[in-house]
Amino acid sequence: MKQAKNIGLSLLGFVLIGAGIYMIRTVPDPQGIMRALPFLLVGFGCGIFGHGLGDLLAKKAVQSDPAMARQLEIAQTDERNVMIGSMAKAKGYDMMTYVFGALMVAFALMGAPWTVIIPMVIAYLFVHGYAIYFRVKLEKEM
């Protein structure tokens, strides 16, 4: 089942890449959303294709060596590795807070249109609201 899903994702990604490239080459004078849509299709297609193909190749490599599969499972579920991953995400979140805030201020000072700044502010507040929600939830559990 999982292999069929990965094959489907790979095919979907390939189709999106093809559709995007086709649109880039055939639409002579793109207007409105057609200026960005082909490039979005190529970008999402590459991401989906890479994800599906990466999972397929990883499963193929693990199937041929059961000892490696066991070591990989232990490494992924080891408490120390999980803690290190969580700490790295926390540091990345801390850095994102300052970088994203500085980027919003820079866009505002450059006179970017409000249609650019407001979605950035909404996304920034959403991320911080999400972090606060889970912090409160985790504190109640402990």
Side-chain angles (χ1 to χ4, degrees):
M1 177 66 183
K2 185 92 168 165
Q3 186 172 358
K5 176 185 161 195
N6 289 331
I7 291 172
L9 280 176
S10 296
L11 290 174
L12 175 66
F14 190 73
V15 168
L16 288 176
I17 292 169
I21 291 173
Y22 176 77
M23 291 170 77
I24 289 169
R25 294 199 177 260
T26 58
V27 178
D29 186 29
Q31 299 294 321
I33 194 163
M34 288 303 292
R35 294 178 69 193
L37 183 64
F39 300 103
L40 285 172
L41 288 176
V42 170
F44 280 118
C46 286
I48 292 170
F49 177 76
H51 177 73
L53 192 62
D55 280 352
L56 277 173
L57 293 175
K59 285 205 182 293
K60 187 85 165 167
V62 168
Q63 282 177 351
S64 63
D65 190 2
M68 185 176 73
R70 175 114 170 94
Q71 280 183 328
L72 184 62
E73 181 184 349
I74 290 171
Q76 288 175 344
T77 58
D78 181 41
E79 283 184 32
R80 182 174 177 271
N81 289 339
V82 171
M83 183 185 69
I84 289 171
S86 294
M87 289 176 66
K89 286 180 187 178
K91 291 292 184 182
Y93 171 78
D94 290 342
M95 177 61 74
M96 183 221 48
T97 297
Y98 297 113
V99 170
F100 203 45
L103 186 64
M104 286 187 298
V105 170
F107 273 121
L109 292 175
M110 289 188 299
W114 289 106
T115 56
V116 172
I117 296 172
I118 296 298
M120 288 177 67
V121 170
I122 290 170
Y124 182 80
L125 293 175
F126 174 76
V127 168
H128 283 282
Y130 189 76
I132 291 169
Y133 168 77
F134 273 100
R135 179 169 184 120
V136 169
K137 182 179 174 183
L138 290 172
E139 285 179 353
K140 283 181 182 178
E141 290 177 1
M142 295 187 165

